[in-house]
Amino acid sequence: MSFRNKLLRYGLVVVPVLMLPLAAQDKPLSFEMKMRAGLTTGALQKDHFDNKAMGFGVAASYPMGKTAAVTAELSFDLLPGRHRDVMPAGGTVWVNPANPVTTTGSTPYTLNPTYSYDDRKESSQGFSLRLGYTDSFPVLEGLSWQAGISLDRYAAKSEFKYTFIAVPTPPAVTQPDGTAVVPYEGGTFVAGGTKIVPGLFVGVKYAFAKDKGLEFNIRNIGAAHNHFIPFTYTGQAARLESSTSRGFVFEFALSVKI
């Protein structure tokens, strides 16, 4: 088990255990259920081809004074993503992996736009553990601020469906040994990946009733990302690359004390 996985697993156990003694003191813990919805920006929005984020969670709060408190929240988040066609409209096209031929040779190739496509979809979901501090604004009744850090463990699901039909000029193309060039590449597969990525958040909360509130938070989070590069685009063996995709989430949350 990696260090990051151990850190999250221990955090999910240790944080509630540490909060138990606090609940037994004169200042008991308070708990809230939260429903969230928001919009993403940055690489997260680009890689998911979508700007939606949603989730729900349970938060605990321990008073540290008249209005201040420390908070801990465990939430489940979903970034759904959308399908998109990323096939370029032009540029170099490679065919025949055994003996690569490209548009820069004596016989140019172009992708047939009727039958060629490169469809992709990436979505992420998982758990976020947030630790923060909150306090009220001195002169604004019912309004408070909050800030803190998070550990986000999101699992990525990356879907790839692609078909490339290259059209040569003239139509009949052969290699020097007389074998025909087959200008086709295609496939479909799903790639996954899970990463634990640290994050930050800051926001405000308005308590419009004794047991209800409305929050607005700005989060910086990260998630696993898979990028597929087919042979047709580079003339090299097709490969799958993995990285971390980061971005901001502008979210609203409705909180209800339980």
Side-chain angles (χ1 to χ4, degrees):
M1 183 185 299
S2 69
F3 172 76
R4 290 181 301 178
N5 286 337
K6 288 182 179 179
L7 184 61
L8 181 66
R9 179 168 295 182
Y10 292 156
L12 297 178
V13 175
V14 172
V15 170
V17 171
L18 292 177
M19 300 293 273
L20 287 177
L22 300 178
Q25 298 182 15
D26 295 335
K27 299 177 181 179
L29 289 172
S30 60
F31 295 90
E32 293 178 309
M33 178 74 73
K34 298 186 180 183
M35 300 294 294
R36 303 181 178 279
L39 301 176
T40 63
T41 64
L44 278 174
Q45 180 185 8
K46 178 182 176 182
D47 295 335
H48 289 78
F49 195 62
D50 189 58
N51 63 353
K52 294 186 291 295
M54 59 196 74
F56 62 91
V58 176
S61 177
Y62 178 73
M64 297 296 292
K66 184 177 180 181
T67 57
V70 293
T71 61
E73 178 182 346
L74 181 62
S75 64
F76 179 82
D77 299 329
L78 173 65
L79 287 71
R82 289 192 298 151
H83 286 277
R84 69 193 189 279
D85 189 352
V86 300
M87 190 184 77
T92 301
V93 176
W94 294 79
V95 297
N96 190 27
N99 188 10
V101 179
T102 180
T103 54
T104 58
S106 58
T107 303
Y109 289 82
T110 58
L111 290 177
N112 185 320
T114 303
Y115 301 104
S116 300
Y117 63 90
D118 187 353
D119 181 85
R120 307 187 181 193
K121 178 185 177 182
E122 186 164 81
S123 59
S124 300
Q125 63 180 19
F127 291 93
S128 174
L129 177 63
R130 310 187 195 186
L131 302 176
Y133 182 85
T134 181
D135 200 354
S136 64
F137 286 101
V139 295
L140 300 173
E141 184 178 356
L143 193 64
S144 59
W145 62 270
Q146 55 197 11
I149 60 174
S150 67
L151 278 178
D152 306 312
R153 187 181 188 272
Y154 297 138
K157 179 182 179 182
S158 307
E159 304 174 39
F160 302 94
K161 301 177 183 178
Y162 59 102
T163 293
F164 303 121
I165 305 294
V167 181
T169 305
V173 179
T174 59
Q175 297 295 329
D177 60 2
T179 58
V181 173
V182 180
Y184 168 82
E185 181 184 11
T188 177
F189 68 97
V190 177
T194 302
K195 286 190 173 184
I196 299 177
V197 183
L200 302 169
F201 69 91
V202 62
V204 294
K205 179 178 180 179
Y206 175 67
F208 59 86
K210 183 178 180 180
D211 58 349
K212 298 180 180 65
L214 183 65
E215 298 181 10
F216 173 72
N217 296 303
I218 300 176
R219 302 175 60 197
N220 183 260
I221 63 174
H225 169 61
N226 296 303
H227 178 57
F228 176 64
I229 306 174
F231 167 85
T232 299
Y233 294 164
T234 64
Q236 302 176 6
R239 63 188 185 274
L240 183 69
E241 298 180 344
S242 299
S243 61
T244 299
S245 178
R246 294 198 70 97
F248 287 94
V249 183
F250 300 89
E251 68 174 20
F252 287 93
L254 176 65
S255 63
V256 179
K257 289 187 178 182
I258 55 177

